[in-house]
Amino acid sequence: MFEEMLEVARNKLATINEIVDGLPEPQVTILLTDIDNIYVAVNDVYGTICEELKQGKDTKVIKMLTMWKDGSIDISSYAFRNTLVKMDRDNNNTDVLLQGKNNYLIKKLADTII
């Protein structure tokens, strides 16, 4: 499923050129929920997309990734990750895709908020 999420991120970033204060270039965070909905957060440093998830009663995120405009994978901001966990404690178990030295790594969200 991460492959599909990577494709969603690439496609969305191809249409975004807006740079916001605090970010060096455009970024998207892709969230997959336990009911197979995909959400795209654009330049979202604080996790404001969580309001949309709450309104839809779709707060359990099972996978996430953050991609910069140049295609590199990174971790979302601490504030974003913290907001996900405050929204739903089960999100401590969210799989987070990260860039390793030679390949991708998957960590649990709780392991990134220490």
Side-chain angles (χ1 to χ4, degrees):
M1 187 49 136
F2 273 122
E3 282 302 320
E4 181 181 332
M5 294 170 68
L6 287 164
E7 188 64 25
V8 169
R10 287 183 197 105
N11 289 339
K12 185 63 176 178
L13 283 165
T15 68
I16 300 170
N17 293 309
E18 177 188 359
I19 297 175
V20 297
D21 285 341
L23 295 178
E25 63 181 316
Q27 141 191 124
V28 295
T29 298
I30 310 300
L31 306 172
L32 173 68
T33 65
D34 66 334
I35 58 173
D36 288 329
N37 287 327
I38 291 179
Y39 294 84
V40 180
V42 177
N43 295 327
D44 186 351
V45 177
Y46 300 105
T48 55
I49 188 121
C50 290
E51 287 304 316
E52 184 178 338
L53 277 74
K54 286 185 214 175
Q55 288 176 1
K57 296 181 176 42
D58 191 15
T59 61
K60 187 174 179 184
V61 177
I62 58 171
K63 295 184 186 301
M64 71 180 288
L65 67 88
T66 299
M67 182 183 285
W68 292 100
K69 178 80 170 178
D70 70 1
S72 61
I73 300 295
D74 200 355
I75 194 165
S76 59
S77 72
Y78 177 82
F80 190 109
R81 291 176 279 134
N82 197 39
T83 300
L84 282 175
V85 172
K86 284 182 179 178
M87 175 182 67
D88 190 323
R89 306 239 349 116
D90 285 338
N91 289 338
N92 278 304
N93 295 313
T94 300
D95 288 332
V96 181
L97 186 72
L98 301 170
Q99 181 65 53
K101 184 175 180 178
N102 297 315
N103 55 9
Y104 294 124
L105 305 171
I106 299 173
K107 298 278 186 183
K108 293 296 182 187
L109 184 59
D111 294 334
T112 72
I113 305 175
I114 298 175

